[in-house]
Amino acid sequence: MNTITNDSARAGASVGLTGDTIVFNGGRPLSGRIEVRGAKNLVTKAMVAALLGEEVSVLRDVPDISDVRVVAGLLTLHGVKIDRNEVSGDLRLDPTNVETAHMAEINAHAGSSRIPILFCGPLLHRLGEAFIPDLGGCRIGDRPIDFHLEVLRNFGAVIEKLPSGIRMSAPEGLHGAKVTLPYPSVGATEQVLLTAVRANGRTELRNAAIEPEIMDLINILQKMGAVISVDADRVIRIEGVERLGGYSHKALFDRNEAASWASAALVTKGDIYVGGAKQPEMLTFLNVFRKAGGAFEIHDDGIRFYHPGGELRPVVIETDVHPGFMTDWQQPLVVALTQAHGVSIVHETVYEQRFGFVDALVEMGSDIQLHRECLGSQECRFGQRNFQHSAIISGPTKLKAADIEVPDLRGGFSHLIAALAAEGTSRVSNVGIIARGYENFIAKLETLGADFTVEA
């Protein structure tokens, strides 16, 4: 087991890739087997949940990605001792000596991560106060923290905005609240869960997100001693408890990474076995993948995704909250749809600026037109706000090599697989962003037979 210290967490926060460039020689199929571990969108929140307990927690199958290192650094600053088994990916989190961290140190470790906002509820319970810095994240749309702050106020938090960030206190403790979300936001749902489980009284959350990662977080909190019920109408009820213990839990697999590699297999005419992927959490993606002309085989230990030959078919996609088609799935799949015979339509309803990545695809020869209208089954919340949130993709088009700068996590992986499919030599820069959510993706590319070199 390796102990994660402040210095090691900071030094490894980018997994050694920020600012680097990869040069791809495209045009060859990806083939082979890779493994996916725990979901980025769960493990970071599960690590924060350990703050709520008064005993050691063990989180298994945690990927070595930069977002995990950022959270580990922030937890270490607050006195949590973290040991990691590099082989299994297991984390041992000991929160028995939680303490207040200095704002400057939190700023230095948080970087562009938005995770610190989720520390607030647990820290208010444990210490009676919390500090968070200005928050960053991928440039894919508005992610305001105002609603998070309002939720915390409802629980009894006193909030003070400072030039360097936000200070919170709970002089009278936190109490249960009734919260209705205007949109089933994953982040806001997580905020309520992490705050309500130790609040005094009952909390009722309406219009909650019910993504698999949310349900797995609820499983973890229940293991710790929380009392949480989930109704079919997106209502979550939490009865606050005075004390929580630790947990031992194997993280849900990363369905976003699995879908990304599936799209890579499709666009490169390859054959990729994604070990660790499971059918139930990918049901919606699998249906669209098959409609587009992809093939897959379900096995006990993973899913094989491959291009079966023949022409890819156009599809109409409308992203949505679970159980709809995930927004994180559409970007890699759009690259594959540039090779479909006909016109595909993608209506993005979750993040209003998620199509920023298509500029590079157009430069590479794709025929993609963006529209402000809702090109879906119904008008969404972006319909009257002047955002280009619908895309028409006409194909097939021959992808040609280009120099690309990665804009965000999922868009970055989309650029990467476009370079792998394009004929000629492409240079993809700023690939460190991809390490936020894709564990050892360089080694996985090598395993799958990609032809590339990494420039320092």
Side-chain angles (χ1 to χ4, degrees):
M1 298 283 283
N2 292 332
T3 299
I4 298 179
T5 64
N6 288 357
D7 290 340
S8 64
R10 186 186 299 113
S14 64
V15 197
L17 287 171
T18 297
D20 288 352
T21 298
I22 304 179
V23 179
F24 290 98
N25 295 313
R28 54 192 296 179
L30 296 182
S31 181
R33 174 173 179 145
I34 53 94
E35 303 291 328
V36 295
R37 290 208 272 198
K40 177 183 83 73
N41 291 341
L42 167 72
V43 295
T44 49
K45 321 307 168 49
M47 292 168 69
V48 175
L51 274 173
L52 289 161
E54 297 179 26
E55 299 169 359
V56 171
S57 291
V58 176
L59 183 60
R60 301 191 300 279
D61 216 22
V62 178
D64 185 15
I65 55 177
S66 59
D67 272 18
V68 165
R69 291 176 177 265
V70 167
V71 176
L74 290 169
L75 287 171
T76 302
L77 282 178
H78 286 93
V80 179
K81 183 182 178 183
I82 304 177
D83 296 305
R84 179 183 176 91
N85 186 313
E86 296 296 341
V87 176
S88 66
D90 293 358
L91 287 186
R92 183 180 185 274
L93 304 105
D94 184 349
T96 54
N97 295 311
V98 171
E99 60 187 24
T100 302
H102 295 293
M103 179 72 80
E105 292 180 317
I106 296 173
N107 265 317
H109 279 74
S112 63
S113 173
R114 292 177 178 267
I115 285 292
I117 189 67
L118 295 178
F119 276 65
C120 296
L123 288 175
L124 287 170
H125 285 302
R126 291 297 301 270
L127 302 174
E129 62 179 2
F131 300 91
I132 60 170
D134 293 330
L135 301 176
C138 288
R139 301 186 301 273
I140 56 176
D142 192 21
R143 297 186 184 186
I145 67 168
D146 289 349
F147 192 79
H148 287 262
L149 300 180
E150 187 59 31
V151 165
L152 291 165
R153 286 191 184 97
N154 288 342
F155 281 99
V158 177
I159 297 172
E160 179 184 4
K161 293 188 177 181
L162 307 173
S164 56
I166 300 171
R167 180 183 183 274
M168 302 183 193
S169 60
E172 299 181 4
L174 299 179
H175 54 75
K178 287 191 174 183
V179 180
T180 299
L181 301 181
Y183 179 80
S185 161
V186 169
T189 300
E190 293 164 342
Q191 182 70 263
V192 172
L193 288 170
L194 292 169
T195 305
V197 286
R198 284 191 58 180
N200 181 30
R202 296 184 178 183
T203 295
E204 180 182 274
L205 173 62
R206 292 189 172 274
N207 202 28
I210 54 171
E211 270 68 8
E213 293 81 8
I214 291 287
M215 302 309 295
D216 213 29
L217 178 60
I218 290 175
N219 292 338
I220 288 170
L221 293 170
Q222 187 181 59
K223 286 181 177 181
M224 297 175 73
V227 179
I228 306 172
S229 64
V230 183
D231 295 342
D233 56 353
R234 292 187 178 273
V235 176
I236 298 177
R237 293 180 172 87
I238 307 106
E239 296 182 27
V241 297
E242 291 185 4
R243 182 186 184 278
L244 292 175
Y247 65 80
S248 178
H249 189 81
K250 181 179 179 180
L252 174 76
F253 80 98
D254 197 316
R255 59 199 179 113
N256 294 338
E257 183 180 0
S260 295
W261 290 114
S263 297
L266 199 57
V267 73
T268 65
K269 299 181 179 179
D271 188 333
I272 300 177
Y273 194 107
V274 182
K278 302 293 183 182
Q279 180 183 15
E281 293 81 10
M282 298 196 70
L283 186 68
T284 304
F285 177 84
L286 294 173
N287 286 334
V288 175
F289 189 80
R290 176 170 282 163
K291 288 179 181 180
F296 58 86
E297 296 175 357
I298 307 294
H299 298 269
D300 290 342
D301 65 343
I303 303 177
R304 176 194 173 199
F305 297 95
Y306 62 98
H307 191 304
E311 297 179 351
L312 297 184
R313 298 183 292 271
V315 294
V316 176
I317 300 171
E318 192 163 35
T319 66
D320 203 352
V321 296
H322 186 77
F325 192 90
M326 281 194 69
T327 178
D328 286 338
W329 293 339
Q330 65 94 342
Q331 289 171 292
L333 191 60
V334 162
V335 183
L337 294 179
T338 66
Q339 305 308 301
H341 288 248
V343 177
S344 296
I345 298 174
V346 179
H347 180 209
E348 172 62 49
T349 74
V350 180
Y351 291 125
E352 66 270 31
Q353 297 177 18
R354 194 128 217 189
F355 285 121
F357 75 102
V358 305
D359 291 343
L361 299 183
V362 172
E363 182 182 349
M364 298 177 76
S366 300
D367 184 354
I368 304 176
Q369 297 178 351
L370 300 182
H371 296 267
R372 292 178 172 83
E373 294 77 18
C374 295
L375 301 181
S377 59
Q378 58 186 0
E379 185 172 314
C380 75
R381 59 199 177 116
F382 307 136
Q384 303 299 323
R385 295 176 60 190
N386 207 31
F387 293 113
Q388 291 185 319
H389 67 293
S390 294
I392 297 177
I393 305 121
S394 301
T397 54
K398 188 175 183 179
L399 295 177
K400 60 180 185 293
D403 292 344
I404 308 166
E405 182 177 355
V406 168
D408 61 69
L409 176 59
R410 306 300 171 189
F413 194 89
S414 302
H415 291 161
L416 185 149
I417 63 176
L420 288 166
E423 293 187 4
T425 301
S426 298
R427 298 178 76 254
V428 183
S429 61
N430 201 29
V431 295
I433 293 178
I434 299 173
R436 283 189 51 220
Y438 293 86
E439 181 185 39
N440 298 330
F441 73 93
I442 296 290
K444 290 175 182 178
L445 288 173
E446 291 176 343
T447 297
L448 297 174
D451 184 359
F452 68 93
T453 57
V454 179
E455 293 182 352

